[in-house]
Short mmCIF file of all heavy atoms in Angstrom, two decimals:
data_model
loop_
_atom_site.label_atom_id
_atom_site.label_comp_id
_atom_site.label_asym_id
_atom_site.label_seq_id
_atom_site.Cartn_x
_atom_site.Cartn_y
_atom_site.Cartn_z
N CYS J 267 -11.66 -10.89 -0.48
CA CYS J 267 -10.28 -11.04 -0.02
C CYS J 267 -10.25 -12.10 1.07
O CYS J 267 -11.09 -12.11 1.96
CB CYS J 267 -9.77 -9.71 0.51
SG CYS J 267 -8.09 -9.71 1.11
N ALA J 268 -9.29 -13.02 0.99
CA ALA J 268 -9.10 -14.02 2.03
C ALA J 268 -7.78 -13.74 2.73
O ALA J 268 -6.81 -13.33 2.10
CB ALA J 268 -9.09 -15.41 1.42
N TYR J 269 -7.75 -13.96 4.03
CA TYR J 269 -6.50 -13.79 4.77
C TYR J 269 -6.28 -15.04 5.61
O TYR J 269 -7.22 -15.80 5.88
CB TYR J 269 -6.51 -12.53 5.62
CG TYR J 269 -7.53 -12.52 6.74
CD1 TYR J 269 -7.17 -12.89 8.04
CD2 TYR J 269 -8.85 -12.13 6.51
CE1 TYR J 269 -8.10 -12.88 9.06
CE2 TYR J 269 -9.78 -12.13 7.53
CZ TYR J 269 -9.41 -12.50 8.80
OH TYR J 269 -10.33 -12.49 9.81
N SER J 270 -5.06 -15.26 6.01
CA SER J 270 -4.76 -16.49 6.75
C SER J 270 -4.18 -16.24 8.13
O SER J 270 -4.07 -17.17 8.93
CB SER J 270 -3.79 -17.37 5.95
OG SER J 270 -2.62 -16.67 5.65
N ASN J 271 -3.83 -15.00 8.43
CA ASN J 271 -3.25 -14.70 9.73
C ASN J 271 -4.35 -14.50 10.77
O ASN J 271 -5.03 -13.48 10.78
CB ASN J 271 -2.37 -13.44 9.63
CG ASN J 271 -1.66 -13.12 10.92
OD1 ASN J 271 -1.80 -13.81 11.93
ND2 ASN J 271 -0.86 -12.06 10.90
N SER J 272 -4.53 -15.46 11.64
CA SER J 272 -5.59 -15.37 12.64
C SER J 272 -5.33 -14.27 13.67
O SER J 272 -6.24 -13.89 14.40
CB SER J 272 -5.76 -16.72 13.35
OG SER J 272 -4.53 -17.12 13.93
N ALA J 273 -4.11 -13.76 13.71
CA ALA J 273 -3.78 -12.68 14.65
C ALA J 273 -4.06 -11.30 14.06
O ALA J 273 -3.89 -10.29 14.75
CB ALA J 273 -2.31 -12.77 15.06
N SER J 274 -4.52 -11.23 12.82
CA SER J 274 -4.81 -9.94 12.20
C SER J 274 -5.96 -9.27 12.93
O SER J 274 -7.00 -9.88 13.19
CB SER J 274 -5.19 -10.13 10.74
OG SER J 274 -4.10 -10.64 10.00
N ASP J 275 -5.76 -7.99 13.26
CA ASP J 275 -6.80 -7.26 13.99
C ASP J 275 -7.22 -5.98 13.30
O ASP J 275 -8.06 -5.23 13.82
CB ASP J 275 -6.34 -6.98 15.42
CG ASP J 275 -5.13 -6.05 15.46
OD1 ASP J 275 -4.54 -5.78 14.39
OD2 ASP J 275 -4.78 -5.59 16.56
N TYR J 276 -6.62 -5.71 12.17
CA TYR J 276 -6.94 -4.46 11.46
C TYR J 276 -6.88 -4.75 9.97
O TYR J 276 -5.91 -5.36 9.49
CB TYR J 276 -5.94 -3.37 11.85
CG TYR J 276 -6.13 -2.06 11.13
CD1 TYR J 276 -7.17 -1.20 11.45
CD2 TYR J 276 -5.24 -1.67 10.12
CE1 TYR J 276 -7.34 0.00 10.80
CE2 TYR J 276 -5.40 -0.47 9.46
CZ TYR J 276 -6.44 0.37 9.81
OH TYR J 276 -6.61 1.57 9.15
N PHE J 277 -7.91 -4.28 9.26
CA PHE J 277 -8.00 -4.54 7.83
C PHE J 277 -8.34 -3.25 7.11
O PHE J 277 -9.07 -2.40 7.64
CB PHE J 277 -9.09 -5.59 7.56
CG PHE J 277 -8.88 -6.87 8.30
CD1 PHE J 277 -9.35 -7.01 9.60
CD2 PHE J 277 -8.19 -7.92 7.73
CE1 PHE J 277 -9.15 -8.18 10.31
CE2 PHE J 277 -7.98 -9.10 8.43
CZ PHE J 277 -8.46 -9.23 9.72
N ILE J 278 -7.84 -3.13 5.90
CA ILE J 278 -8.01 -1.86 5.19
C ILE J 278 -8.10 -2.14 3.70
O ILE J 278 -7.50 -3.09 3.19
CB ILE J 278 -6.82 -0.93 5.54
CG1 ILE J 278 -7.05 0.47 5.03
CG2 ILE J 278 -5.49 -1.49 5.07
CD1 ILE J 278 -6.05 1.49 5.63
N TRP J 279 -8.90 -1.31 3.02
CA TRP J 279 -9.01 -1.39 1.57
C TRP J 279 -8.43 -0.12 0.96
O TRP J 279 -8.70 0.99 1.43
CB TRP J 279 -10.47 -1.52 1.14
CG TRP J 279 -11.02 -2.90 1.29
CD1 TRP J 279 -11.79 -3.38 2.32
CD2 TRP J 279 -10.88 -3.99 0.38
NE1 TRP J 279 -12.12 -4.68 2.10
CE2 TRP J 279 -11.58 -5.09 0.91
CE3 TRP J 279 -10.23 -4.15 -0.86
CZ2 TRP J 279 -11.64 -6.33 0.27
CZ3 TRP J 279 -10.29 -5.38 -1.49
CH2 TRP J 279 -10.99 -6.45 -0.93
N TYR J 280 -7.64 -0.33 -0.08
CA TYR J 280 -7.06 0.77 -0.82
C TYR J 280 -7.50 0.69 -2.28
O TYR J 280 -7.70 -0.39 -2.83
CB TYR J 280 -5.53 0.74 -0.78
CG TYR J 280 -4.91 1.25 0.49
CD1 TYR J 280 -4.58 0.37 1.52
CD2 TYR J 280 -4.65 2.60 0.67
CE1 TYR J 280 -4.00 0.83 2.69
CE2 TYR J 280 -4.07 3.07 1.84
CZ TYR J 280 -3.75 2.18 2.84
OH TYR J 280 -3.18 2.65 4.00
N LYS J 281 -7.58 1.86 -2.90
CA LYS J 281 -7.86 1.97 -4.33
C LYS J 281 -6.62 2.58 -4.99
O LYS J 281 -6.10 3.58 -4.50
CB LYS J 281 -9.07 2.88 -4.55
CG LYS J 281 -9.35 3.27 -5.99
CD LYS J 281 -10.48 4.32 -6.04
CE LYS J 281 -10.78 4.74 -7.46
NZ LYS J 281 -11.82 5.81 -7.50
N GLN J 282 -6.16 1.96 -6.06
CA GLN J 282 -5.01 2.52 -6.76
C GLN J 282 -5.38 2.76 -8.23
O GLN J 282 -5.62 1.82 -8.98
CB GLN J 282 -3.79 1.60 -6.67
CG GLN J 282 -2.54 2.23 -7.27
CD GLN J 282 -1.31 1.36 -7.14
OE1 GLN J 282 -1.40 0.14 -6.97
NE2 GLN J 282 -0.14 1.97 -7.21
N GLU J 283 -5.38 4.02 -8.60
CA GLU J 283 -5.61 4.39 -10.01
C GLU J 283 -4.26 4.39 -10.73
O GLU J 283 -3.21 4.50 -10.11
CB GLU J 283 -6.27 5.76 -10.07
CG GLU J 283 -7.66 5.77 -9.45
CD GLU J 283 -8.28 7.14 -9.42
OE1 GLU J 283 -7.93 7.92 -8.51
OE2 GLU J 283 -9.10 7.46 -10.28
N SER J 284 -4.34 4.29 -12.03
CA SER J 284 -3.14 4.18 -12.85
C SER J 284 -2.20 5.36 -12.62
O SER J 284 -2.62 6.52 -12.67
CB SER J 284 -3.53 4.11 -14.32
OG SER J 284 -2.40 4.00 -15.14
N GLY J 285 -0.96 5.06 -12.30
CA GLY J 285 0.04 6.11 -12.13
C GLY J 285 -0.02 6.83 -10.80
O GLY J 285 0.69 7.83 -10.61
N LYS J 286 -0.83 6.33 -9.87
CA LYS J 286 -0.97 7.00 -8.58
C LYS J 286 -0.67 6.03 -7.44
O LYS J 286 -0.58 4.82 -7.63
CB LYS J 286 -2.38 7.56 -8.42
CG LYS J 286 -2.72 8.64 -9.43
CD LYS J 286 -4.11 9.20 -9.15
CE LYS J 286 -4.46 10.30 -10.14
NZ LYS J 286 -5.81 10.86 -9.88
N GLY J 287 -0.53 6.59 -6.27
CA GLY J 287 -0.32 5.76 -5.09
C GLY J 287 -1.64 5.23 -4.55
O GLY J 287 -2.72 5.76 -4.88
#
Side-chain angles (χ1 to χ4, degrees):
Chain J
C267 180
Y269 65 96
S270 57
N271 184 0
S272 56
S274 296
D275 64 350
Y276 177 75
F277 304 86
I278 190 167
W279 281 99
Y280 281 94
K281 171 187 180 183
Q282 186 178 22
E283 296 176 279
S284 180
K286 297 183 179 180

